[in-house]
Amino acid sequence: MSKPEAQSAIRAARNEYPGYAALLEDYFDRGWTDGLPIVAPEPDVVLGFLDGAGLTPGTVIGTLPTRQVEVTAEHIAINAVMAGCRPEYLPVVVASVRALLHPRGHAHSTCGSLAGPSHVVVVNGPIARQLEINAGLGCLGPGWRANATIGRALRLVIRNCLHAIPGELDRAAYSHPGRYSFCFAEDETASGLEPLHVERGLAEGSSAVTVFASWQQTGVWADVARPEDLAAAIAAEICYRGTYGSEFVRHSMNLMIVIPPAHQALLTAAGWSKARLRARVWEQTAEARARVDYSKGWPKGFVAGRVMLQDIDNLLIIAAGGEGLPEARVFFPHAGSAITEPIGPPNLAEDIK
Amino acid sequence: MIGLDPRTTPAKPPAAGLAPRPASLSGATIGVIGNGLNRGNDLLEAIVTEIARRVDIAGVVTITKKGVSVPPEPADWDRLVAGATVAITGYGGCGSCSSRSMRDAIELEAAQIPAAAVMHEALSGSARAMTRLCGMPGYPFAIVSDDYKSIATWADDEIEEIAAAVAPRVITLLTS
């Protein structure tokens, strides 16, 4: 496609401004930002993003029928530019949107709920290292362009493309700082543990994102010498707080456990895999799982001591974080499944310069 | 400097306007699309009971969705549309369930079945946003007041009170 043809293929309305300051103020006034300044989504810049990813503007990436929404590559590129992404981040954002809009992700709920869950993006595979998506010290916080802007791009898509405006279709009572951006990578090289996306069926050496709507996140202090004690501490936290259940998602409800280097080392020194840790945690949540009465349908709400998980494989374990703190994190679910999507095309990782 | 609009444009609206209303609910078969939010279905049932106290209805077709924020299952939808002459949707007491229940009502209008969505006052912003998205701004609905908890964890007597207060509005919404 020639440049003029590509320009004309863009369907978004064009607004003309005397300069960046005027554009920025207008985007704020129209409610098109998250409250922070944005990069101007100029047509040439947006086209550059699409070209770099080998995408045509009108390619449909996903739909959300309840909201009358069809999200195209063009929409995602515009919001990725606004978020401050580099062009090479776009395939990660596109895969994240595909995951978000997977029917089991239940986006109308997670992007409209009173609970206001955050949309956690976990990146796996070589692309995470190539794009320098932080998996280590400070990976859940500010300071890393790829983490900050990929997560922000997904949130801007939620706002602008899914019409999730606070007080309107986004009815989060508190919302959450993680709704500015919540993206990190798994630490695959240092931990030696099987990566999340491989555990979920993708090939070793491939790249993928996992998007998970998390209602709450808590820390699990476990300054322990044995993996059994780590598993017990994590299970105790899960049982203490309980989990939300969804009649719609049912058995594919997930829970995410993030383990830091201290706990990764504990596992590998003892010859434990993620699967073994998962099995131990599962065993120790048996009573809280058995406490759930499904005889009158799925119980509603979030109740302490009631764990509504029915498949051991839905406990997701991720290696990430910095040295020095023996504290795991548990990301509790909202009403959607965690969806893992490959980052494509398949040869993309090798193509990135 | 040119800046591109980052928003999606909503697809074609599902309904062109309101379905024709009957003059009264006498002889009507009332469809109920419940979302199962706590005691929300009990409220919808109580509203139907209130209506039945006022007029002779022919019957009720009730379906419960498989989640609070999802469309009805296709077979349930077909059953309801085939049997109901008017319908009530709800209960909109949480964020995404209110907007989805509003969408259910608008899709009923598209199927030529007059509908009344029952929403909590606190969630009316979500409901109104859905009416705009569906090309029906100003589409009216019934409101449960802020005097009652939004998430439908009500006692039996509260359900009766709310139903008595809301039923007249539901009747008005469903009739010409």
Side-chain angles (χ1 to χ4, degrees), chain A residues 23 74 231 326:
Chain A
L23 179 147
E74 171 190 317

Side-chain angles (χ1 to χ4, degrees), chain B residues 21-75:
Chain B
R21 265 55 185 164
S24 92
L25 295 184
S26 180
T29 298
I30 300 178
V32 177
I33 301 182
N35 60 21
L37 175 70
N38 294 316
R39 301 200 66 189
N41 284 16
D42 295 337
L43 172 62
L44 300 184
E45 187 182 327
I47 291 170
V48 171
T49 302
E50 282 291 327
I51 293 171
R53 279 197 190 126
R54 291 165 166 82
V55 291
D56 288 331
I57 61 172
V60 183
V61 181
T62 299
I63 64 173
T64 298
K65 299 193 293 182
K66 287 202 166 174
V68 295
S69 314
V70 299
E73 291 291 295

Side-chain angles (χ1 to χ4, degrees), chain B residues 45-173:
Chain B
E45 187 182 327
I47 291 170
V48 171
T49 302
E50 282 291 327
I51 293 171
R53 279 197 190 126
R54 291 165 166 82
V55 291
D56 288 331
I57 61 172
V60 183
V61 181
T62 299
I63 64 173
T64 298
K65 299 193 293 182
K66 287 202 166 174
V68 295
S69 314
V70 299
E73 291 291 295
D76 287 341
W77 173 262
D78 291 345
R79 184 165 63 84
L80 185 121
V81 168
T85 54
V86 297
I88 304 171
T89 73
Y91 154 77
C94 65
S96 53
C97 65
S98 55
S99 44
R100 181 60 237 185
S101 288
M102 177 55 75
R103 171 99 196 181
D104 295 336
I106 290 171
E107 290 182 357
L108 285 163
E109 301 286 353
Q112 297 299 294
I113 295 177
V118 181
M119 302 286 153
H120 191 272
E121 196 168 351
L123 282 307
S124 57
S126 287
R128 291 197 177 94
M130 182 56 76
T131 67
R132 290 193 293 274
L133 198 65
C134 291
M136 292 182 71
Y139 179 67
F141 52 92
I143 293 178
V144 174
S145 94
D146 267 337
D147 294 340
Y148 301 94
K149 283 187 287 189
S150 67
I151 56 170
T153 50
W154 307 303
D156 289 346
D157 58 342
E158 289 179 299
I159 290 172
E160 287 175 17
E161 282 174 23
I162 298 168
V166 168
R169 171 70 170 157
V170 169
I171 294 169
T172 300
L173 290 171

Side-chain angles (χ1 to χ4, degrees), chain A residues 233-318:
Chain A
I234 292 169
E237 177 68 13
I238 295 169
C239 295
Y240 168 70
R241 299 183 68 82
T243 68
Y244 186 69
S246 162
E247 184 97 33
F248 173 67
V249 176
R250 297 173 74 94
H251 307 306
S252 54
M253 184 65 86
N254 298 93
L255 188 139
M256 200 173 259
I257 300 162
V258 181
I259 53 170
H263 293 156
Q264 296 161 28
L266 187 67
L267 294 182
T268 52
W272 277 44
S273 62
K274 281 185 182 177
R276 190 164 174 190
L277 176 63
R278 180 181 297 109
R280 190 74 175 201
V281 171
W282 188 251
E283 182 187 308
Q284 298 197 352
T285 58
E287 192 181 326
R289 287 184 285 107
R291 198 173 289 142
V292 184
D293 177 8
Y294 296 98
S295 64
K296 294 176 184 168
W298 278 59
K300 304 293 187 295
F302 194 122
V303 177
R306 195 172 68 182
V307 174
M308 286 185 266
L309 295 171
Q310 293 206 328
D311 184 342
I312 185 172
D313 290 333
N314 290 341
L315 285 178
L316 309 180
I317 299 174
I318 297 153

Side-chain angles (χ1 to χ4, degrees), chain A:
Chain A
M1 190 181 286
S2 68
K3 189 172 172 184
E5 284 173 335
Q7 281 270 16
S8 63
I10 287 188
R11 302 175 89 179
R14 294 158 190 256
N15 299 296
E16 192 162 354
Y17 303 93
Y20 173 69
L23 179 147
L24 182 59
E25 288 306 315
D26 188 51
Y27 275 52
F28 277 130
D29 289 346
R30 291 174 187 258
W32 291 351
T33 86
D34 50 11
L36 293 171
I38 48 94
V39 173
E42 297 181 274
D44 279 352
V45 180
V46 170
L47 278 177
F49 272 53
L50 291 165
D51 281 349
L55 291 164
T56 51
T59 303
V60 176
I61 304 302
T63 64
L64 187 53
T66 287
R67 299 190 183 193
Q68 310 249 111
V69 162
E70 190 175 80
V71 181
T72 65
E74 171 190 317
H75 294 125
I76 299 171
I78 294 169
N79 284 281
V81 171
M82 289 169 60
C85 287
R86 297 179 63 174
E88 55 266 39
Y89 302 168
L90 184 60
V92 183
V93 182
V94 168
S96 301
V97 173
R98 224 167 37 232
L100 173 77
L101 294 176
H102 187 287
R104 304 305 298 178
H106 206 4
H108 177 63
S109 174
T110 67
C111 300
S113 165
L114 284 170
S118 302
H119 292 83
V120 182
V121 179
V122 183
V123 185
N124 277 102
I127 202 166
R129 295 180 287 282
Q130 287 164 335
L131 300 183
E132 298 182 337
I133 302 171
N134 186 14
L137 186 151
C139 64
L140 303 187
W144 325 100
R145 181 174 179 179
N147 299 50
T149 62
I150 291 169
R152 187 187 184 200
L154 182 67
R155 288 303 316 183
L156 287 176
V157 167
I158 290 170
R159 180 184 185 90
N160 288 321
C161 299
L162 307 189
H163 309 289
I165 307 298
E168 298 191 16
L169 286 184
D170 173 6
R171 195 41 191 81
Y174 287 106
S175 201
H176 192 282
R179 286 181 147 207
Y180 281 105
S181 178
F182 204 152
C183 171
F184 64 105
E186 176 158 27
D187 183 351
E188 299 174 16
T189 50
S191 75
L193 298 168
E194 190 166 45
L196 172 69
H197 67 311
V198 176
E199 284 202 309
R200 304 200 90 195
L202 296 180
E204 283 185 38
S206 67
S207 294
V209 295
T210 300
V211 173
F212 176 58
S214 172
W215 189 338
Q216 299 171 347
Q217 305 86 43
T218 63
V220 180
W221 181 266
D223 185 12
V224 296
R226 302 184 318 140
E228 292 87 343
D229 297 327
L230 171 63
I234 292 169
E237 177 68 13
I238 295 169
C239 295
Y240 168 70
R241 299 183 68 82
T243 68
Y244 186 69
S246 162
E247 184 97 33
F248 173 67
V249 176
R250 297 173 74 94
H251 307 306
S252 54
M253 184 65 86
N254 298 93
L255 188 139
M256 200 173 259
I257 300 162
V258 181
I259 53 170
H263 293 156
Q264 296 161 28
L266 187 67
L267 294 182
T268 52
W272 277 44
S273 62
K274 281 185 182 177
R276 190 164 174 190
L277 176 63
R278 180 181 297 109
R280 190 74 175 201
V281 171
W282 188 251
E283 182 187 308
Q284 298 197 352
T285 58
E287 192 181 326
R289 287 184 285 107
R291 198 173 289 142
V292 184
D293 177 8
Y294 296 98
S295 64
K296 294 176 184 168
W298 278 59
K300 304 293 187 295
F302 194 122
V303 177
R306 195 172 68 182
V307 174
M308 286 185 266
L309 295 171
Q310 293 206 328
D311 184 342
I312 185 172
D313 290 333
N314 290 341
L315 285 178
L316 309 180
I317 299 174
I318 297 153
E323 299 279 359
L325 187 73
E327 183 184 290
R329 294 286 164 99
V330 178
F331 295 178
F332 287 85
H334 180 241
S337 302
I339 303 295
T340 299
E341 284 282 340
I343 298 170
N347 61 350
L348 180 78
E350 288 74 35
D351 289 343
I352 288 177
K353 302 291 188 290

